[in-house]
Amino acid sequence: MATVLITGGTGTVGTRLTELLMHKGYSVIIVGRGGNQKRVVDTTGNDNTYLRYAKWNIVNQTIDEWAIREADFIVHLAGAGVADQRWSAARKKEIADSRIESGNLLVKALKEIPNQVKAVISSSAIGWYGPDPLNNPGFSEDAPAHSDFLGTTCKEWEVSIAPVQEIDKRLVILRTGIVLSNAGGALLEFKKPLMARTAAILGNGKQMISWIHIDDLCYQFIYAIENSALQGVYNAVAPNPVNNKTLTLTLAKKYCGSFYLPIYVPAFALKIVLGEMSIEVLKSATVSSKKILQAGFKFQYPTIEKALDNLINSGAK
């Protein structure tokens, strides 16, 4: 089977994607700042399937050349966590630079190092889009980038990786929605108040959330690897977005039955706690999955009920 190089492979999405790829027989190279210099781990019992580690330095624009030479596909997930810290000026620069400069490094490496890479599958985010206009049927991929911080960052992120097309590499960009996973991210934050049997509805609760189950997201990356007809930008969101109130109460019912107390967390309180990042928490963004569906992708978890049932009951990661 082919070898897939993953940047950002130790994060929540990268870890799950690595598991699924290796289960399908792919070998994986994870690139990071502390790469273990071609350490080989056979996790499957299959002599042809390996997990290896390589090193890069985004600041110095260097990467282990062997990793580029041996890769058949690249999945580009690298980037500092958007919601991990308050958005100070320094943090915003780190969020943007970690995405843009890593894209620049991959382009540079693919131009300078002989390789057999057939396609680059790059993550982006639905932060590309602004708040919903009136009666928004769902943002499609041809909508312009918003002028705010995340919109600008997503645009520069996508621009940074685009030159791989100039060297005949197929490029697919997945604009990822809010990822639901037991291993990290938004779902854990939604679940925290439920420990006190409190369902915390943010703002007025009407803001639309375009979400995706982590397995559907990872299978979209695999679908993009395996289907050479896919090219360009696709929204990686489930077909049925829900508003914050619906997601919160659905989750509460599944965890607590009827024994929970709904409370509204006012917008001003979120602004005090989160600062500028509260804009994203309160923003309504309805994003369409029509294009990826038309490309033949089938969601395992198209509704929030199915997604939450799986994450709560099966121990999915």
Side-chain angles (χ1 to χ4, degrees):
M1 286 289 285
T3 296
V4 180
L5 182 155
I6 305 178
T7 73
T10 57
T12 300
V13 175
T15 298
R16 182 59 175 154
L17 178 58
T18 296
E19 293 174 353
L20 294 175
L21 282 167
M22 295 189 72
H23 182 71
K24 285 175 67 71
Y26 288 91
S27 292
V28 175
I29 301 170
I30 292 176
V31 179
R33 289 175 295 181
N36 295 312
Q37 295 300 315
K38 210 173 181 177
R39 180 166 67 89
V40 174
V41 182
D42 183 353
T43 62
T44 65
N46 182 341
D47 290 340
N48 297 318
T49 304
Y50 294 103
L51 172 61
R52 292 176 288 175
Y53 297 83
K55 188 174 183 178
W56 69 354
N57 186 311
I58 296 172
V59 174
N60 294 337
Q61 292 284 284
T62 58
I63 189 170
D64 283 341
E65 292 193 8
W66 68 265
I68 296 294
R69 291 179 188 275
E70 296 188 23
D72 296 294
F73 299 92
I74 293 176
V75 174
H76 181 35
L77 303 174
V82 171
D84 292 354
Q85 301 175 24
R86 282 177 68 102
W87 287 357
S88 64
R91 181 59 178 175
K92 288 168 72 173
K93 186 176 188 303
E94 182 180 5
I95 289 169
D97 288 354
S98 62
R99 288 161 169 79
I100 298 162
E101 295 306 321
S102 59
N104 291 338
L105 173 52
L106 286 178
V107 171
K108 175 176 177 286
L110 289 170
K111 286 182 176 179
E112 295 178 355
I113 302 168
N115 66 83
Q116 59 193 13
V117 172
K118 300 175 182 66
V120 177
I121 321 300
S122 181
S123 182
S124 181
I126 62 170
W128 173 282
Y129 307 107
D132 285 331
L134 189 64
N135 299 321
N136 182 20
F139 286 111
S140 61
E141 290 81 355
D142 57 359
H146 195 51
S147 59
D148 64 4
F149 166 61
L150 284 187
T152 301
T153 298
C154 287
K155 183 175 182 178
E156 293 178 351
W157 188 4
E158 294 184 18
V159 167
S160 72
I161 199 67
V164 299
Q165 297 170 102
E166 300 170 4
I167 47 175
D168 296 324
K169 309 297 183 187
R170 179 170 61 91
L171 176 63
V172 179
I173 294 175
L174 298 182
R175 290 184 187 150
T176 303
I178 303 300
V179 181
L180 300 184
S181 165
N182 285 330
L187 186 61
L188 296 187
E189 297 303 314
F190 284 124
K191 286 163 58 175
K192 283 179 181 178
L194 296 176
M195 297 176 66
R197 293 192 174 276
T198 299
I201 300 163
L202 305 182
N204 63 18
K206 295 179 181 179
Q207 65 272 33
M208 296 300 293
I209 297 175
S210 295
W211 58 274
I212 188 168
H213 187 292
I214 188 168
D215 282 0
D216 277 331
L217 174 59
C218 290
Y219 280 120
Q220 280 195 27
F221 278 103
I222 295 171
Y223 193 72
I225 288 170
E226 296 180 344
N227 290 269
S228 59
L230 262 67
Q231 192 156 335
V233 180
Y234 296 84
N235 291 329
V237 295
N240 297 288
V242 294
N243 64 35
N244 175 265
K245 181 177 180 180
T246 298
L247 189 154
T248 302
L249 296 184
T250 302
L251 187 62
K253 289 173 185 175
K254 291 185 181 297
Y255 268 97
C256 305
S258 58
F259 299 101
Y260 64 90
L261 176 66
I263 63 168
Y264 286 83
V265 182
F268 77 84
L270 291 168
K271 291 174 183 176
I272 291 171
V273 174
L274 300 176
E276 185 182 353
M277 191 164 53
S278 66
I279 296 171
E280 292 303 314
V281 172
L282 295 167
K283 183 175 81 174
S284 181
T286 307
V287 179
S288 171
S289 62
K290 183 177 180 180
K291 185 178 178 183
I292 193 70
L293 286 167
Q294 290 178 335
F297 182 79
K298 298 186 185 305
F299 286 85
Q300 294 184 37
Y301 308 102
T303 67
I304 196 66
E305 289 81 8
K306 286 186 176 181
L308 293 179
D309 281 344
N310 172 262
L311 291 165
I312 292 168
N313 297 327
S314 72
K317 298 176 181 179

